[in-house]
Amino acid sequence: MPRSKFRYSCRFFVQDTVIGAGKYDGALGIVTAIAAVKSLNKKGKLFRFPRPIEIIAFSDEEGIRFQSTFLGSAAIAGTLSTQLLSVRDKSGTTLRDSLHQASLKGSEESLLHLKYDKFAVWGYIEVHIEQGPVLEFKKIPLGVVEAIAGQTRLKVTLQGLQGHAGTVPMLMRKDPMPAAAKAILHIEELCTKRGDDNEKASSHIDSTAQLVCTVGEISSWPGASNVIPGQVVFTVDIRSRDDYLREETVLKIESNIHNVARARALSYNIERKHEAKAVKCDSELTHRLKAAAKSGISKFLDSEVSDIPLLTSGAGHDAMAMARLTKVGMIFVRCTGGISHSPAEHVLEDDIGAASSALLSFLEHELDLLDS
């Protein structure tokens, strides 16, 4: 059997970010990982570690450019579809072309070579900004993730009849814009009700326990003020840690879009651009990370906490892709105001130090287990 490896990976924000994003989402994990391994080396303990430690900067976790998330981590996990090689970004560049520009073959064969051998991977740990308000509310620097919500991303196209804004009577129009508005309002009403019902039934205090739905993009063609649009396109993002609830909601959304389009004599198309099941983090890793987080806070901040909270992540992470390859665990770091995907994103320096200290404690504990 190949030598066992401990793969420790995070992300770097220059490679992976959203438009108008902050500087901690992704970069935080890289900095804390490097600091922890550097400290392990300074203490003379790195050479004793039984497995190689890899710090990986994954690309395009957010799926902004090619509208398909986890490109880097999915390639390593061996779940990246070769069909994505032909997907184009907004400029018309395919993923294959983009890989060529980065001196990679971008062939189906080359994707297979990127996959890690699951028997050679011990586990995966990710440190990430919380992107939510729970830790700040609890006044605790670190939390541990027990589950990551599943996601569905839809691209909805409503096709009508383009016409002159001043000459086509209202009752004779096939205007996809009001249809899109009606469908979007239904999505908000549906998800608000179902999310509230689900949250009441949950014992978790974090806001990601329920269902959340977002229409993040909308565009019309030709997009002129004096033209009845012929086409409207919008996206829908549906998330929940309950996969059954999420899938049931997606079906209801699709059914309503069908009814709205039919009532207005419009044609429509719904593409599922992304589908990811909810991921449960490894229970043993979660237990060890809780102890490490508590130790990291105590050592770096000289502060004691009674317990480390367990959280559900409503945001997607590379850990979702890596869970197809190996066991995963995650540490969340408190962020100011729960703000993320924004230039206002902020994490306290001391909290970053506590996160690095927690990782170091985790690695040192692994060595202690070998010595005992």
Side-chain angles (χ1 to χ4, degrees):
M1 181 177 292
R3 182 173 59 159
S4 179
K5 292 184 179 180
F6 173 76
R7 303 211 183 274
Y8 184 93
S9 75
C10 315
R11 291 170 287 117
F12 183 49
F13 78 100
V14 170
Q15 292 177 296
D16 176 24
T17 188
V18 296
I19 298 169
K23 60 184 179 181
Y24 295 92
D25 180 0
L28 177 68
I30 283 289
V31 171
T32 53
I34 291 173
V37 173
K38 183 178 179 180
S39 295
L40 195 69
N41 186 47
K42 284 185 70 175
K43 291 184 175 185
K45 295 181 178 181
L46 185 59
F47 76 96
R48 291 177 49 212
F49 212 80
R51 297 175 287 270
I53 301 173
E54 294 188 6
I55 302 173
I56 307 176
F58 287 131
S59 62
D60 206 12
E61 178 253 45
E62 298 286 358
I64 299 301
R65 184 175 180 185
F66 294 102
Q67 294 296 300
S68 183
T69 57
F70 314 135
L71 287 185
S73 51
I76 283 179
T79 60
L80 185 65
S81 171
T82 55
Q83 294 178 349
L84 287 173
L85 291 171
S86 300
V87 173
R88 298 180 183 275
D89 63 14
K90 291 181 179 179
S91 70
T93 303
T94 65
L95 175 57
R96 181 181 284 104
D97 293 336
S98 179
L99 292 173
H100 283 166
Q101 291 168 13
S103 300
L104 296 172
K105 286 185 178 180
S107 64
E108 295 182 13
E109 253 189 338
S110 66
L111 286 187
L112 293 175
H113 289 312
L114 293 175
K115 181 183 177 181
Y116 280 21
D117 179 358
K118 66 178 181 180
F119 295 109
V121 184
W122 180 86
Y124 170 89
I125 296 171
E126 186 170 342
V127 176
H128 205 280
I129 178 176
E130 183 194 356
Q131 299 180 282
V134 178
L135 290 175
E136 186 176 60
F137 175 79
K138 287 177 169 288
K139 299 180 180 179
I140 298 177
L142 306 176
V144 175
V145 178
E146 62 175 347
I148 305 171
Q151 304 175 30
T152 301
R153 288 188 185 182
L154 306 177
K155 179 182 178 181
V156 180
T157 302
L158 293 170
Q159 197 78 36
L161 187 61
Q162 185 176 326
H164 195 291
T167 61
V168 182
M170 296 300 292
L171 294 179
M172 296 180 69
R173 297 185 179 197
K174 292 184 179 181
D175 188 347
M177 186 63 79
K182 189 171 184 177
I184 291 168
L185 282 175
H186 173 265
I187 291 167
E188 183 190 41
E189 292 166 3
L190 173 68
C191 295
T192 299
K193 182 181 185 304
R194 293 171 68 80
D196 286 347
D197 290 345
N198 187 246
E199 187 175 21
K200 290 171 185 175
S202 173
S203 61
H204 290 253
I205 68 158
D206 60 287
S207 62
T208 55
Q210 80 277 26
L211 174 79
V212 290
C213 304
T214 305
V215 174
E217 294 181 63
I218 184 168
S219 62
S220 67
W221 175 262
S225 61
N226 62 341
V227 179
I228 302 166
Q231 177 180 280
V232 173
V233 179
F234 63 91
T235 61
V236 191
D237 184 307
I238 306 104
R239 307 189 188 204
S240 176
R241 68 179 179 202
D242 183 335
D243 284 333
Y244 177 81
L245 173 66
R246 175 176 52 84
E247 179 58 30
E248 189 180 41
T249 302
V250 170
L251 293 176
K252 285 181 179 292
I253 290 172
E254 290 176 337
S255 176
N256 181 70
I257 290 170
H258 168 78
N259 292 336
V260 168
R262 185 176 61 178
R264 294 171 177 265
L266 305 174
S267 60
Y268 72 95
N269 184 52
I270 302 173
E271 296 178 73
R272 293 205 182 193
K273 303 297 289 185
H274 174 67
E275 193 84 36
K277 290 184 177 181
V279 168
K280 182 172 173 55
C281 294
D282 180 76
S283 57
E284 180 60 26
L285 274 183
T286 298
H287 175 73
R288 293 187 191 181
L289 288 174
K290 279 190 70 175
K294 195 171 183 178
S295 173
I297 293 171
S298 174
K299 290 178 180 178
F300 191 84
L301 298 178
D302 195 24
S303 175
E304 297 293 333
V305 292
S306 57
D307 196 22
I308 300 296
L310 291 175
L311 304 172
T312 297
S313 174
H317 299 283
D318 286 308
M320 298 182 80
M322 294 298 285
R324 303 285 295 273
L325 180 72
T326 186
K327 59 187 177 183
V328 301
M330 284 191 72
I331 293 177
F332 267 174
V333 186
R334 172 174 57 185
C335 60
T336 305
I339 297 171
S340 184
H341 283 188
S342 162
E345 186 177 87
H346 182 258
V347 178
L348 296 173
E349 288 185 12
D350 282 351
D351 290 358
I352 296 173
S356 294
S357 181
L359 285 180
L360 179 61
S361 294
F362 177 85
L363 295 171
E364 289 179 327
H365 179 67
E366 291 299 308
L367 288 176
D368 291 340
L369 289 176
L370 288 173
D371 293 339
S372 61

